[in-house]
Amino acid sequence: AQSVSQHNHHVILSEAASLELGCNYSYGGTVNLFWYVQYPGQHLQLLLKYFSGDPLVKGIKGFEAEFIKSKFSFNLRKPSVQWSDTAEYFCAVKRSNDMRFGAGTRLTVKP
Amino acid sequence: NAGVTQTPKFQVLKTGQSMTLQCAQDMNHEYMSWYRQDPGMGLRLIHYSVGAGITDQGEVPNGYNVSRSTTEDFPLRLLSAAPSQTSVYFCASSKGVGTRSYNSPLHFGNGTRLTVT
């Protein structure tokens, strides 16, 4: 069974700091990769996705992610975080009809 | 478009009671799924459906039943609730199935918070 690992459970940053959240997956076939964000009390919303082509994917709100096939990784980055980025972030891997999520990383941005 | 609609938003059950969580989407999506979200465990797939009359199990199907009689609706049934089923449940849908679903993100409902005492 494929698994998705997010290594950071809780990250605390000050505003304007740079962010990188790790995501690794175990499945070796063709996959789609996603990052979702969940703001407090809300449902998951799509940040960005990778399907094929350029491994550097840009999403909403200044987020980007890089797919490194050899490392089975899809790390999320943002050069300068804002207080409003405080949320939980989920990496997800999809193969055919099966979409699996990582355990999530809680990001707290201090003003 | 309302998107994915889940009802109820909150529910408290006693152990052994049964109930159905409702999910409806108005986007004509073929794929629908149910996840449960628990602290530190992310979202875990319970059941999914690739079209009317077709359902399959996900990671944690035990204790849950589903059916898909129409494209729009995908109810989740708890036949005999247990405290271990206390969780937040999300329904999600996406366009296309199989390889045609690639590049199609999941659209989530607002969730149902279920407490089993």
Side-chain angles (χ1 to χ4, degrees):
Chain A
Q2 64 188 58
S3 70
V4 183
S5 299
Q6 292 183 241
H7 313 296
N8 313 103
H9 297 295
H10 189 193
V11 172
I12 302 173
L13 296 173
S14 298
E15 274 195 313
S18 64
L19 169 73
E20 181 160 1
L21 301 183
C23 174
N24 287 89
Y25 61 95
S26 62
Y27 186 72
T30 301
V31 295
N32 279 179
L33 301 162
F34 303 83
W35 276 96
Y36 282 85
V37 60
Q38 186 178 31
Y39 297 103
Q42 297 187 25
H43 62 279
L44 277 74
Q45 302 170 45
L46 181 69
L47 265 183
L48 49 79
K49 61 185 178 183
Y50 173 79
F51 172 49
S52 64
D54 189 344
L56 185 61
V57 179
K58 293 194 184 299
I60 61 171
K61 304 185 180 186
F63 286 91
E64 63 180 31
E66 185 175 13
F67 171 51
I68 303 180
K69 189 173 182 179
S70 60
K71 295 185 177 180
F72 296 89
S73 71
F74 190 55
N75 293 354
L76 181 71
R77 299 195 292 249
K78 185 170 184 179
S80 176
V81 295
Q82 300 172 314
W83 176 79
S84 58
D85 292 325
T86 294
E88 191 152 16
Y89 292 81
F90 293 92
C91 179
V93 178
K94 184 178 183 182
R95 176 180 176 261
S96 188
N97 298 313
D98 195 328
M99 187 155 181
R100 302 293 175 99
F101 287 80
T105 297
R106 187 154 62 97
L107 172 66
T108 301
V109 180
K110 297 186 292 185
Chain B
N1 284 352
V4 180
T5 303
Q6 287 184 241
T7 56
K9 291 185 179 179
F10 303 94
Q11 182 71 50
V12 179
L13 291 177
K14 289 185 173 13
T15 297
Q17 286 185 313
S18 63
M19 81 157 296
T20 299
L21 307 186
Q22 301 292 344
C23 175
Q25 53 89 11
D26 61 359
M27 297 173 283
N28 202 31
H29 284 171
E30 296 166 84
Y31 180 86
M32 295 186 75
S33 55
W34 277 100
Y35 288 86
R36 59 177 290 173
Q37 183 179 23
D38 302 290
M41 303 190 77
L43 279 80
R44 291 181 291 168
L45 182 64
I46 304 172
H47 286 283
Y48 66 91
S49 168
V50 298
I54 307 170
T55 64
D56 207 346
Q57 296 180 349
E59 298 173 79
V60 288
N62 293 340
Y64 307 95
N65 281 351
V66 292
S67 60
R68 185 96 177 268
S69 56
T70 66
T71 301
E72 295 78 19
D73 300 299
F74 191 45
L76 178 72
R77 279 183 286 277
L78 285 72
L79 297 177
S80 179
S84 61
Q85 293 178 305
T86 293
S87 187
V88 180
Y89 291 85
F90 287 99
C91 180
S93 71
S94 68
K95 187 177 178 181
V97 293
T99 55
R100 291 188 293 111
S101 72
Y102 284 168
N103 210 27
S104 297
L106 285 175
H107 298 259
F108 284 87
N110 286 329
T112 296
R113 185 174 293 275
L114 175 67
T115 302
V116 183
T117 61

